Amino acid sequence: MAGKPKLHYNNGRGRMESIRWLLAAAGVEFEEQFIEKREDLEKLCKDGVLMFQQVPMVEIDGMKMVQTRAILSYIAAKYNLYGKDLKERAWIDMYVEGTTELMRMMINLPFHPPDTKEETLALIIERATNRYFPVYERALKDHGYDYLVGNKLSWADIQLLEAILMAEECKPDILSAFPLLQAFKGRTSNIPTIKKFLQPGSQRKPRTNEKIVAIVRKIYNF
Amino acid sequence: MSGKPRLIYLDGRGRMESTRWLLAAAGVEFEEVYLETREQYEKLIKDGDLMFQQVPLVEMDGMKLVQTRAIMSYIAGKYNLYGKDLKERALIDMYVEGVTDLMLMILMFPFSPPEAKEKNLDSLKDRAINRYFPAFEKVLKQHGQDFLVGNKMSWADVQLIEAILAVEEKIPAVLSGFPQLQAFKKRMSNVPTIKKFLQPGSPRKPPPDERYVATVKRVFKI
């Protein structure tokens, strides 16, 4: 048994990407088993390893974990990225839920029918600019520290960087009104584990394109 | 300042009901403020009380907690309903996430167009009977204990009993193939704090009706 976590998902970002980010940021090496066709998913179901017949599934520490948020919470806590007490954890949870909502919109965007894509993209940009990014800009402004919670790198920071980069793929100058987030992006991207993850050849997945959309639709039947 | 948690939401189940369940199961008294008008909601936003301009909002321990999962994680952690270690927490998180997915289907029900209602009911029945209830039936059967995790009541058990009762409101005989869950339902309903919550006059809210749907549409302008 290698001991490395093993990720089961299709070869694309989707709901697994945040998990890849968190493990990478924590400096944890992991393996991936890609689901390439429907039969691969069906086999996992038949083997009884998917509690709710869904992926992501991560084999870690003798468990077959499912449900993205459960997996992320476990990793965050295990690798000391979840604050020092209950209250810090609450703040991290709130911040994470916000970036998760924003990223969910962006993850779903490629799957929208062509006639609604443009208005969905506009909504994403509006929400990022008016609802989500102001919160993190203000949080950093209020305390003046480098990280969102407890003056220490946490899951909330890693997820925020991920969300920023995804949003910039939608609109390159999306951070133009957020100087502190720009600085945050610069700083956090230079953390050695994250810097490594951002380089070519890492396990970070590229933006979802039409080809991946087609594969995903076939695997999950929608 | 009474010291009791204060819940701000509409006078109905929605996304606050699971929090009411959890506080009640933990034996924690709470206050509620009901949003009836758009103006009340806009005032909350203007006052800066809603981190992402959304409710639920729970004021407790000096924090204005938003995001349902963050709120419930905090409550579960504070009142010892979150397992004894990281691995138990992982199991609780997985189970809670699964149940939440099921309940999200019910949450959306009143807002779907009339012609979709039968299809949605069929989907709910299919998911409950083929995906979610079998998973929990199996967990209980395998360890033979009264509660899902660690032989002690946790957030997962509270969420599961809530879900069972909510599904039964729509599909009365839904537990007919699940003897473990039937016994679980009976046991959980008799836990003193939960028994009290299930009695008339408790903070438990009735199923959504037309008036509630109208309030949601009015307050959130959807």
Side-chain angles (χ1 to χ4, degrees), chain A residues 51-54 61 66-67 69-70 77 86-87 89 91 94-95 97 101 130-131 135, chain B residues 51-54 61 66-67 69-70 78 82 86-87 89 93-95 97 101 130-132:
Chain A
M51 185 175 189
F52 303 114
Q53 301 148 18
Q54 298 163 314
D61 297 340
V66 296
Q67 294 289 347
R69 212 187 174 285
L86 220 57
K87 282 199 173 183
R89 219 166 81 195
W91 282 100
M94 284 195 278
Y95 290 145
E97 289 297 300
E101 277 181 4
N130 296 328
R131 177 176 287 189
V135 170
Chain B
M51 186 186 270
F52 301 111
Q53 300 151 21
Q54 299 162 317
D61 299 341
V66 297
Q67 294 290 347
R69 281 188 191 87
K78 181 175 179 180
Y82 219 164
L86 221 55
K87 283 205 171 178
R89 218 165 85 195
D93 278 340
M94 278 198 283
Y95 299 163
E97 290 294 302
D101 281 349
N130 294 322
R131 175 174 288 188
Y132 294 105

mmCIF file of all heavy atoms in Angstrom, chain A residues 51-54 61 66-67 69-70 77 86-87 89 91 94-95 97 101 130-131 135, chain B residues 51-54 61 66-67 69-70 78 82 86-87 89 93-95 97 101 130-132:
data_model
loop_
_atom_site.group_PDB
_atom_site.id
_atom_site.type_symbol
_atom_site.label_atom_id
_atom_site.label_comp_id
_atom_site.label_asym_id
_atom_site.label_seq_id
_atom_site.Cartn_x
_atom_site.Cartn_y
_atom_site.Cartn_z
ATOM 1 N N MET A 51 -20.170 5.349 -2.101
ATOM 2 C CA MET A 51 -21.277 5.287 -1.144
ATOM 3 C C MET A 51 -22.614 5.729 -1.724
ATOM 4 O O MET A 51 -23.649 5.131 -1.464
ATOM 5 C CB MET A 51 -20.956 6.130 0.084
ATOM 6 C CG MET A 51 -22.024 5.986 1.147
ATOM 7 S SD MET A 51 -21.616 6.831 2.646
ATOM 8 C CE MET A 51 -22.928 6.215 3.702
ATOM 9 N N PHE A 52 -22.577 6.811 -2.522
ATOM 10 C CA PHE A 52 -23.815 7.296 -3.127
ATOM 11 C C PHE A 52 -23.749 7.198 -4.649
ATOM 12 O O PHE A 52 -24.386 7.972 -5.360
ATOM 13 C CB PHE A 52 -24.085 8.743 -2.686
ATOM 14 C CG PHE A 52 -24.154 8.917 -1.192
ATOM 15 C CD1 PHE A 52 -23.205 9.670 -0.517
ATOM 16 C CD2 PHE A 52 -25.164 8.319 -0.436
ATOM 17 C CE1 PHE A 52 -23.254 9.827 0.866
ATOM 18 C CE2 PHE A 52 -25.227 8.466 0.942
ATOM 19 C CZ PHE A 52 -24.259 9.219 1.590
ATOM 20 N N GLN A 53 -22.933 6.241 -5.106
ATOM 21 C CA GLN A 53 -22.810 5.976 -6.546
ATOM 22 C C GLN A 53 -22.270 7.178 -7.318
ATOM 23 O O GLN A 53 -22.556 7.346 -8.502
ATOM 24 C CB GLN A 53 -24.166 5.558 -7.159
ATOM 25 C CG GLN A 53 -24.746 4.311 -6.530
ATOM 26 C CD GLN A 53 -26.281 4.314 -6.521
ATOM 27 O OE1 GLN A 53 -26.920 5.060 -7.263
ATOM 28 N NE2 GLN A 53 -26.869 3.477 -5.690
ATOM 29 N N GLN A 54 -21.517 8.019 -6.624
ATOM 30 C CA GLN A 54 -21.003 9.210 -7.275
ATOM 31 C C GLN A 54 -19.508 9.367 -7.016
ATOM 32 O O GLN A 54 -18.962 8.886 -6.023
ATOM 33 C CB GLN A 54 -21.688 10.473 -6.726
ATOM 34 C CG GLN A 54 -23.186 10.557 -6.947
ATOM 35 C CD GLN A 54 -23.801 11.598 -6.027
ATOM 36 O OE1 GLN A 54 -23.511 11.640 -4.840
ATOM 37 N NE2 GLN A 54 -24.633 12.448 -6.581
ATOM 38 N N ASP A 61 -6.184 7.119 3.843
ATOM 39 C CA ASP A 61 -6.140 6.613 5.213
ATOM 40 C C ASP A 61 -7.127 5.478 5.468
ATOM 41 O O ASP A 61 -7.836 5.453 6.485
ATOM 42 C CB ASP A 61 -6.397 7.760 6.201
ATOM 43 C CG ASP A 61 -5.303 8.811 6.114
ATOM 44 O OD1 ASP A 61 -4.202 8.484 5.609
ATOM 45 O OD2 ASP A 61 -5.530 9.954 6.530
ATOM 46 N N VAL A 66 -16.235 9.911 -0.108
ATOM 47 C CA VAL A 66 -16.990 10.563 -1.172
ATOM 48 C C VAL A 66 -17.538 11.877 -0.625
ATOM 49 O O VAL A 66 -17.424 12.154 0.563
ATOM 50 C CB VAL A 66 -18.163 9.691 -1.685
ATOM 51 C CG1 VAL A 66 -17.639 8.414 -2.317
ATOM 52 C CG2 VAL A 66 -19.130 9.370 -0.556
ATOM 53 N N GLN A 67 -18.157 12.656 -1.516
ATOM 54 C CA GLN A 67 -18.684 13.977 -1.186
ATOM 55 C C GLN A 67 -17.548 14.986 -1.039
ATOM 56 O O GLN A 67 -16.784 14.984 -0.070
ATOM 57 C CB GLN A 67 -19.559 13.953 0.076
ATOM 58 C CG GLN A 67 -20.847 13.159 -0.081
ATOM 59 C CD GLN A 67 -21.855 13.856 -0.987
ATOM 60 O OE1 GLN A 67 -21.717 15.030 -1.321
ATOM 61 N NE2 GLN A 67 -22.878 13.131 -1.427
ATOM 62 N N ARG A 69 -17.119 18.057 -0.203
ATOM 63 C CA ARG A 69 -16.889 18.852 0.986
ATOM 64 C C ARG A 69 -16.341 18.021 2.133
ATOM 65 O O ARG A 69 -15.508 18.483 2.889
ATOM 66 C CB ARG A 69 -18.168 19.564 1.403
ATOM 67 C CG ARG A 69 -17.849 20.886 2.051
ATOM 68 C CD ARG A 69 -19.056 21.548 2.641
ATOM 69 N NE ARG A 69 -18.669 22.741 3.372
ATOM 70 C CZ ARG A 69 -18.085 22.743 4.564
ATOM 71 N NH1 ARG A 69 -17.814 21.612 5.153
ATOM 72 N NH2 ARG A 69 -17.773 23.882 5.146
ATOM 73 N N ALA A 70 -16.818 16.790 2.261
ATOM 74 C CA ALA A 70 -16.319 15.911 3.324
ATOM 75 C C ALA A 70 -14.836 15.612 3.111
ATOM 76 O O ALA A 70 -14.032 15.639 4.051
ATOM 77 C CB ALA A 70 -17.123 14.609 3.344
ATOM 78 N N ALA A 77 -8.247 19.471 7.760
ATOM 79 C CA ALA A 77 -7.985 19.236 9.186
ATOM 80 C C ALA A 77 -6.709 18.426 9.369
ATOM 81 O O ALA A 77 -5.877 18.730 10.233
ATOM 82 C CB ALA A 77 -9.166 18.516 9.825
ATOM 83 N N LEU A 86 -12.646 26.251 16.997
ATOM 84 C CA LEU A 86 -13.974 26.174 16.387
ATOM 85 C C LEU A 86 -14.360 27.451 15.656
ATOM 86 O O LEU A 86 -14.956 27.422 14.572
ATOM 87 C CB LEU A 86 -14.994 25.882 17.487
ATOM 88 C CG LEU A 86 -16.111 24.913 17.156
ATOM 89 C CD1 LEU A 86 -15.562 23.582 16.709
ATOM 90 C CD2 LEU A 86 -16.999 24.710 18.387
ATOM 91 N N LYS A 87 -14.014 28.597 16.241
ATOM 92 C CA LYS A 87 -14.404 29.869 15.626
ATOM 93 C C LYS A 87 -13.624 30.121 14.337
ATOM 94 O O LYS A 87 -14.196 30.555 13.341
ATOM 95 C CB LYS A 87 -14.225 31.023 16.613
ATOM 96 C CG LYS A 87 -15.337 31.104 17.644
ATOM 97 C CD LYS A 87 -15.419 32.462 18.317
ATOM 98 C CE LYS A 87 -16.665 32.536 19.201
ATOM 99 N NZ LYS A 87 -16.838 33.865 19.824
ATOM 100 N N ARG A 89 -12.472 27.839 12.486
ATOM 101 C CA ARG A 89 -13.031 26.881 11.535
ATOM 102 C C ARG A 89 -14.317 27.425 10.930
ATOM 103 O O ARG A 89 -14.577 27.272 9.728
ATOM 104 C CB ARG A 89 -13.297 25.541 12.233
ATOM 105 C CG ARG A 89 -12.953 24.354 11.359
ATOM 106 C CD ARG A 89 -12.885 23.086 12.146
ATOM 107 N NE ARG A 89 -14.200 22.529 12.382
ATOM 108 C CZ ARG A 89 -14.463 21.585 13.284
ATOM 109 N NH1 ARG A 89 -13.495 21.100 14.043
ATOM 110 N NH2 ARG A 89 -15.688 21.133 13.438
ATOM 111 N N TRP A 91 -15.120 30.571 10.421
ATOM 112 C CA TRP A 91 -14.760 31.597 9.427
ATOM 113 C C TRP A 91 -14.260 30.955 8.146
ATOM 114 O O TRP A 91 -14.629 31.359 7.044
ATOM 115 C CB TRP A 91 -13.708 32.560 9.984
ATOM 116 C CG TRP A 91 -14.297 33.565 10.889
ATOM 117 C CD1 TRP A 91 -14.301 33.556 12.254
ATOM 118 C CD2 TRP A 91 -15.023 34.743 10.504
ATOM 119 N NE1 TRP A 91 -14.981 34.650 12.740
ATOM 120 C CE2 TRP A 91 -15.422 35.388 11.696
ATOM 121 C CE3 TRP A 91 -15.358 35.307 9.272
ATOM 122 C CZ2 TRP A 91 -16.156 36.586 11.683
ATOM 123 C CZ3 TRP A 91 -16.080 36.488 9.259
ATOM 124 C CH2 TRP A 91 -16.472 37.118 10.454
ATOM 125 N N MET A 94 -17.170 29.526 6.258
ATOM 126 C CA MET A 94 -17.968 30.543 5.569
ATOM 127 C C MET A 94 -17.272 31.004 4.298
ATOM 128 O O MET A 94 -17.887 31.087 3.222
ATOM 129 C CB MET A 94 -18.226 31.746 6.483
ATOM 130 C CG MET A 94 -19.285 31.483 7.531
ATOM 131 S SD MET A 94 -19.884 32.990 8.306
ATOM 132 C CE MET A 94 -18.609 33.287 9.534
ATOM 133 N N TYR A 95 -15.988 31.310 4.408
ATOM 134 C CA TYR A 95 -15.251 31.772 3.234
ATOM 135 C C TYR A 95 -15.219 30.705 2.139
ATOM 136 O O TYR A 95 -15.381 30.996 0.955
ATOM 137 C CB TYR A 95 -13.822 32.155 3.607
ATOM 138 C CG TYR A 95 -13.720 33.413 4.453
ATOM 139 C CD1 TYR A 95 -12.737 33.530 5.435
ATOM 140 C CD2 TYR A 95 -14.586 34.485 4.266
ATOM 141 C CE1 TYR A 95 -12.622 34.678 6.205
ATOM 142 C CE2 TYR A 95 -14.476 35.635 5.032
ATOM 143 C CZ TYR A 95 -13.499 35.726 6.005
ATOM 144 O OH TYR A 95 -13.398 36.859 6.763
ATOM 145 N N GLU A 97 -17.385 28.297 1.610
ATOM 146 C CA GLU A 97 -18.703 28.131 0.996
ATOM 147 C C GLU A 97 -18.927 29.200 -0.076
ATOM 148 O O GLU A 97 -19.508 28.947 -1.123
ATOM 149 C CB GLU A 97 -19.821 28.198 2.041
ATOM 150 C CG GLU A 97 -19.892 26.988 2.961
ATOM 151 C CD GLU A 97 -20.208 25.697 2.226
ATOM 152 O OE1 GLU A 97 -21.271 25.596 1.601
ATOM 153 O OE2 GLU A 97 -19.368 24.782 2.272
ATOM 154 N N GLU A 101 -19.442 28.400 -4.061
ATOM 155 C CA GLU A 101 -20.611 28.821 -4.849
ATOM 156 C C GLU A 101 -20.167 29.465 -6.145
ATOM 157 O O GLU A 101 -20.708 29.179 -7.219
ATOM 158 C CB GLU A 101 -21.458 29.827 -4.051
ATOM 159 C CG GLU A 101 -22.406 29.154 -3.088
ATOM 160 C CD GLU A 101 -23.262 30.146 -2.304
ATOM 161 O OE1 GLU A 101 -23.187 31.368 -2.538
ATOM 162 O OE2 GLU A 101 -23.998 29.660 -1.442
ATOM 163 N N ASN A 130 -19.474 41.723 -7.478
ATOM 164 C CA ASN A 130 -20.342 42.412 -6.516
ATOM 165 C C ASN A 130 -20.677 41.634 -5.251
ATOM 166 O O ASN A 130 -21.032 42.224 -4.239
ATOM 167 C CB ASN A 130 -21.656 42.816 -7.198
ATOM 168 C CG ASN A 130 -21.421 43.825 -8.299
ATOM 169 O OD1 ASN A 130 -20.518 44.638 -8.222
ATOM 170 N ND2 ASN A 130 -22.220 43.746 -9.353
ATOM 171 N N ARG A 131 -20.595 40.325 -5.323
ATOM 172 C CA ARG A 131 -20.979 39.547 -4.144
ATOM 173 C C ARG A 131 -19.791 38.895 -3.464
ATOM 174 O O ARG A 131 -19.643 38.955 -2.258
ATOM 175 C CB ARG A 131 -22.017 38.482 -4.530
ATOM 176 C CG ARG A 131 -22.407 37.577 -3.355
ATOM 177 C CD ARG A 131 -23.504 36.591 -3.718
ATOM 178 N NE ARG A 131 -24.798 37.269 -3.855
ATOM 179 C CZ ARG A 131 -25.969 36.648 -4.006
ATOM 180 N NH1 ARG A 131 -26.012 35.334 -4.044
ATOM 181 N NH2 ARG A 131 -27.081 37.336 -4.137
ATOM 182 N N VAL A 135 -16.053 40.589 -0.440
ATOM 183 C CA VAL A 135 -15.988 40.010 0.905
ATOM 184 C C VAL A 135 -14.540 39.715 1.278
ATOM 185 O O VAL A 135 -14.090 40.033 2.382
ATOM 186 C CB VAL A 135 -16.816 38.717 0.973
ATOM 187 C CG1 VAL A 135 -16.574 37.976 2.284
ATOM 188 C CG2 VAL A 135 -18.302 39.023 0.811
ATOM 189 N N MET B 51 -22.925 38.172 4.961
ATOM 190 C CA MET B 51 -21.618 38.141 4.290
ATOM 191 C C MET B 51 -21.747 38.053 2.769
ATOM 192 O O MET B 51 -21.067 38.778 2.050
ATOM 193 C CB MET B 51 -20.796 36.955 4.797
ATOM 194 C CG MET B 51 -19.371 36.937 4.242
ATOM 195 S SD MET B 51 -18.428 35.467 4.689
ATOM 196 C CE MET B 51 -17.664 35.994 6.208
ATOM 197 N N PHE B 52 -22.616 37.184 2.297
ATOM 198 C CA PHE B 52 -22.785 37.029 0.850
ATOM 199 C C PHE B 52 -24.185 37.452 0.417
ATOM 200 O O PHE B 52 -24.727 36.951 -0.560
ATOM 201 C CB PHE B 52 -22.509 35.584 0.424
ATOM 202 C CG PHE B 52 -21.124 35.100 0.777
ATOM 203 C CD1 PHE B 52 -20.940 34.132 1.758
ATOM 204 C CD2 PHE B 52 -20.006 35.619 0.145
ATOM 205 C CE1 PHE B 52 -19.670 33.691 2.110
ATOM 206 C CE2 PHE B 52 -18.716 35.180 0.483
ATOM 207 C CZ PHE B 52 -18.556 34.227 1.470
ATOM 208 N N GLN B 53 -24.768 38.373 1.217
ATOM 209 C CA GLN B 53 -26.094 38.925 0.919
ATOM 210 C C GLN B 53 -27.173 37.849 0.914
ATOM 211 O O GLN B 53 -28.175 37.965 0.221
ATOM 212 C CB GLN B 53 -26.099 39.653 -0.444
ATOM 213 C CG GLN B 53 -25.107 40.803 -0.484
ATOM 214 C CD GLN B 53 -24.572 41.056 -1.889
ATOM 215 O OE1 GLN B 53 -25.198 40.657 -2.879
ATOM 216 N NE2 GLN B 53 -23.439 41.714 -1.985
ATOM 217 N N GLN B 54 -26.951 36.796 1.667
ATOM 218 C CA GLN B 54 -27.922 35.697 1.687
ATOM 219 C C GLN B 54 -28.247 35.316 3.124
ATOM 220 O O GLN B 54 -27.438 35.464 4.034
ATOM 221 C CB GLN B 54 -27.346 34.454 1.004
ATOM 222 C CG GLN B 54 -26.968 34.602 -0.453
ATOM 223 C CD GLN B 54 -26.028 33.492 -0.883
ATOM 224 O OE1 GLN B 54 -25.100 33.127 -0.166
ATOM 225 N NE2 GLN B 54 -26.245 32.948 -2.059
ATOM 226 N N ASP B 61 -22.643 33.474 19.652
ATOM 227 C CA ASP B 61 -21.274 33.607 20.153
ATOM 228 C C ASP B 61 -20.533 34.766 19.516
ATOM 229 O O ASP B 61 -19.350 34.662 19.181
ATOM 230 C CB ASP B 61 -20.501 32.281 19.926
ATOM 231 C CG ASP B 61 -21.156 31.132 20.677
ATOM 232 O OD1 ASP B 61 -21.941 31.397 21.612
ATOM 233 O OD2 ASP B 61 -20.884 29.961 20.343
ATOM 234 N N VAL B 66 -23.173 32.759 8.410
ATOM 235 C CA VAL B 66 -23.977 32.495 7.219
ATOM 236 C C VAL B 66 -23.471 31.212 6.587
ATOM 237 O O VAL B 66 -22.446 30.668 6.997
ATOM 238 C CB VAL B 66 -23.900 33.652 6.200
ATOM 239 C CG1 VAL B 66 -24.466 34.929 6.787
ATOM 240 C CG2 VAL B 66 -22.465 33.865 5.739
ATOM 241 N N GLN B 67 -24.194 30.759 5.539
ATOM 242 C CA GLN B 67 -23.871 29.507 4.851
ATOM 243 C C GLN B 67 -24.228 28.308 5.731
ATOM 244 O O GLN B 67 -23.588 28.013 6.744
ATOM 245 C CB GLN B 67 -22.393 29.436 4.451
ATOM 246 C CG GLN B 67 -22.001 30.465 3.395
ATOM 247 C CD GLN B 67 -22.597 30.150 2.025
ATOM 248 O OE1 GLN B 67 -23.108 29.052 1.771
ATOM 249 N NE2 GLN B 67 -22.579 31.114 1.122
ATOM 250 N N ARG B 69 -23.938 25.115 5.787
ATOM 251 C CA ARG B 69 -22.973 24.107 6.240
ATOM 252 C C ARG B 69 -22.042 24.665 7.303
ATOM 253 O O ARG B 69 -21.701 23.990 8.257
ATOM 254 C CB ARG B 69 -22.163 23.587 5.055
ATOM 255 C CG ARG B 69 -22.889 22.561 4.229
ATOM 256 C CD ARG B 69 -21.958 21.973 3.206
ATOM 257 N NE ARG B 69 -22.646 21.161 2.220
ATOM 258 C CZ ARG B 69 -23.188 21.628 1.104
ATOM 259 N NH1 ARG B 69 -23.128 22.902 0.826
ATOM 260 N NH2 ARG B 69 -23.789 20.806 0.256
ATOM 261 N N ALA B 70 -21.619 25.916 7.141
ATOM 262 C CA ALA B 70 -20.732 26.533 8.128
ATOM 263 C C ALA B 70 -21.452 26.659 9.468
ATOM 264 O O ALA B 70 -20.884 26.369 10.525
ATOM 265 C CB ALA B 70 -20.280 27.907 7.640
ATOM 266 N N LYS B 78 -19.620 22.563 18.478
ATOM 267 C CA LYS B 78 -19.784 23.150 19.809
ATOM 268 C C LYS B 78 -20.533 22.210 20.762
ATOM 269 O O LYS B 78 -20.219 22.139 21.945
ATOM 270 C CB LYS B 78 -20.536 24.475 19.703
ATOM 271 C CG LYS B 78 -20.731 25.153 21.053
ATOM 272 C CD LYS B 78 -21.363 26.534 20.937
ATOM 273 C CE LYS B 78 -21.515 27.082 22.370
ATOM 274 N NZ LYS B 78 -22.108 28.411 22.417
ATOM 275 N N TYR B 82 -20.188 15.966 16.663
ATOM 276 C CA TYR B 82 -19.343 15.878 15.477
ATOM 277 C C TYR B 82 -18.279 14.783 15.602
ATOM 278 O O TYR B 82 -17.220 14.894 14.999
ATOM 279 C CB TYR B 82 -18.691 17.246 15.229
ATOM 280 C CG TYR B 82 -18.594 17.661 13.777
ATOM 281 C CD1 TYR B 82 -18.333 18.987 13.437
ATOM 282 C CD2 TYR B 82 -18.746 16.760 12.732
ATOM 283 C CE1 TYR B 82 -18.230 19.401 12.113
ATOM 284 C CE2 TYR B 82 -18.629 17.160 11.403
ATOM 285 C CZ TYR B 82 -18.373 18.494 11.105
ATOM 286 O OH TYR B 82 -18.267 18.903 9.788
ATOM 287 N N LEU B 86 -10.978 12.930 13.856
ATOM 288 C CA LEU B 86 -11.033 13.327 12.451
ATOM 289 C C LEU B 86 -11.760 12.301 11.578
ATOM 290 O O LEU B 86 -12.512 12.653 10.672
ATOM 291 C CB LEU B 86 -9.592 13.474 11.941
ATOM 292 C CG LEU B 86 -9.334 14.662 11.041
ATOM 293 C CD1 LEU B 86 -9.754 15.940 11.722
ATOM 294 C CD2 LEU B 86 -7.857 14.720 10.702
ATOM 295 N N LYS B 87 -11.522 11.024 11.851
ATOM 296 C CA LYS B 87 -12.130 9.987 11.015
ATOM 297 C C LYS B 87 -13.635 9.908 11.243
ATOM 298 O O LYS B 87 -14.406 9.730 10.306
ATOM 299 C CB LYS B 87 -11.461 8.632 11.253
ATOM 300 C CG LYS B 87 -10.116 8.538 10.567
ATOM 301 C CD LYS B 87 -9.707 7.109 10.259
ATOM 302 C CE LYS B 87 -8.471 7.071 9.375
ATOM 303 N NZ LYS B 87 -8.021 5.688 9.105
ATOM 304 N N ARG B 89 -15.406 12.390 12.164
ATOM 305 C CA ARG B 89 -15.919 13.607 11.534
ATOM 306 C C ARG B 89 -16.063 13.395 10.033
ATOM 307 O O ARG B 89 -17.022 13.862 9.417
ATOM 308 C CB ARG B 89 -14.989 14.777 11.820
ATOM 309 C CG ARG B 89 -15.729 16.065 12.068
ATOM 310 C CD ARG B 89 -14.838 17.085 12.687
ATOM 311 N NE ARG B 89 -14.069 17.806 11.695
ATOM 312 C CZ ARG B 89 -13.008 18.552 11.972
ATOM 313 N NH1 ARG B 89 -12.585 18.670 13.216
ATOM 314 N NH2 ARG B 89 -12.358 19.177 11.015
ATOM 315 N N ASP B 93 -19.455 13.863 8.050
ATOM 316 C CA ASP B 93 -19.529 14.783 6.907
ATOM 317 C C ASP B 93 -20.069 14.091 5.663
ATOM 318 O O ASP B 93 -20.923 14.623 4.951
ATOM 319 C CB ASP B 93 -18.144 15.371 6.589
ATOM 320 C CG ASP B 93 -17.792 16.558 7.478
ATOM 321 O OD1 ASP B 93 -18.700 17.170 8.071
ATOM 322 O OD2 ASP B 93 -16.581 16.872 7.578
ATOM 323 N N MET B 94 -19.570 12.894 5.391
ATOM 324 C CA MET B 94 -20.041 12.164 4.194
ATOM 325 C C MET B 94 -21.531 11.896 4.283
ATOM 326 O O MET B 94 -22.284 12.125 3.328
ATOM 327 C CB MET B 94 -19.316 10.816 4.067
ATOM 328 C CG MET B 94 -17.959 10.906 3.433
ATOM 329 S SD MET B 94 -17.393 9.291 2.851
ATOM 330 C CE MET B 94 -16.908 8.528 4.381
ATOM 331 N N TYR B 95 -21.975 11.423 5.436
ATOM 332 C CA TYR B 95 -23.382 11.079 5.589
ATOM 333 C C TYR B 95 -24.245 12.339 5.491
ATOM 334 O O TYR B 95 -25.280 12.355 4.823
ATOM 335 C CB TYR B 95 -23.637 10.377 6.929
ATOM 336 C CG TYR B 95 -22.888 9.081 7.119
ATOM 337 C CD1 TYR B 95 -22.736 8.523 8.382
ATOM 338 C CD2 TYR B 95 -22.308 8.393 6.047
ATOM 339 C CE1 TYR B 95 -22.057 7.322 8.585
ATOM 340 C CE2 TYR B 95 -21.619 7.196 6.234
ATOM 341 C CZ TYR B 95 -21.490 6.675 7.508
ATOM 342 O OH TYR B 95 -20.807 5.491 7.717
ATOM 343 N N GLU B 97 -23.585 15.129 3.933
ATOM 344 C CA GLU B 97 -23.604 15.622 2.558
ATOM 345 C C GLU B 97 -24.571 14.807 1.705
ATOM 346 O O GLU B 97 -25.306 15.347 0.883
ATOM 347 C CB GLU B 97 -22.208 15.567 1.938
ATOM 348 C CG GLU B 97 -21.235 16.580 2.520
ATOM 349 C CD GLU B 97 -21.619 18.015 2.226
ATOM 350 O OE1 GLU B 97 -21.733 18.371 1.045
ATOM 351 O OE2 GLU B 97 -21.818 18.772 3.190
ATOM 352 N N ASP B 101 -27.999 16.289 -0.091
ATOM 353 C CA ASP B 101 -28.328 16.172 -1.517
ATOM 354 C C ASP B 101 -29.769 15.712 -1.693
ATOM 355 O O ASP B 101 -30.504 16.213 -2.544
ATOM 356 C CB ASP B 101 -27.396 15.166 -2.222
ATOM 357 C CG ASP B 101 -26.029 15.750 -2.541
ATOM 358 O OD1 ASP B 101 -25.848 16.983 -2.408
ATOM 359 O OD2 ASP B 101 -25.126 14.977 -2.917
ATOM 360 N N ASN B 130 -33.245 4.035 -4.023
ATOM 361 C CA ASN B 130 -32.156 3.334 -4.709
ATOM 362 C C ASN B 130 -30.764 3.854 -4.404
ATOM 363 O O ASN B 130 -29.783 3.170 -4.638
ATOM 364 C CB ASN B 130 -32.390 3.381 -6.227
ATOM 365 C CG ASN B 130 -33.629 2.598 -6.616
ATOM 366 O OD1 ASN B 130 -33.899 1.544 -6.053
ATOM 367 N ND2 ASN B 130 -34.401 3.124 -7.548
ATOM 368 N N ARG B 131 -30.695 5.091 -3.901
ATOM 369 C CA ARG B 131 -29.360 5.624 -3.652
ATOM 370 C C ARG B 131 -29.093 5.893 -2.177
ATOM 371 O O ARG B 131 -28.113 5.416 -1.617
ATOM 372 C CB ARG B 131 -29.167 6.917 -4.465
ATOM 373 C CG ARG B 131 -27.850 7.617 -4.183
ATOM 374 C CD ARG B 131 -27.620 8.814 -5.092
ATOM 375 N NE ARG B 131 -27.311 8.391 -6.455
ATOM 376 C CZ ARG B 131 -26.918 9.205 -7.431
ATOM 377 N NH1 ARG B 131 -26.808 10.489 -7.206
ATOM 378 N NH2 ARG B 131 -26.649 8.766 -8.629
ATOM 379 N N TYR B 132 -29.941 6.687 -1.548
ATOM 380 C CA TYR B 132 -29.577 7.168 -0.216
ATOM 381 C C TYR B 132 -29.980 6.227 0.914
ATOM 382 O O TYR B 132 -29.141 5.854 1.742
ATOM 383 C CB TYR B 132 -30.143 8.584 0.003
ATOM 384 C CG TYR B 132 -29.497 9.586 -0.929
ATOM 385 C CD1 TYR B 132 -30.181 10.086 -2.026
ATOM 386 C CD2 TYR B 132 -28.170 9.970 -0.740
ATOM 387 C CE1 TYR B 132 -29.563 10.966 -2.906
ATOM 388 C CE2 TYR B 132 -27.546 10.843 -1.614
ATOM 389 C CZ TYR B 132 -28.244 11.338 -2.693
ATOM 390 O OH TYR B 132 -27.631 12.194 -3.565
#
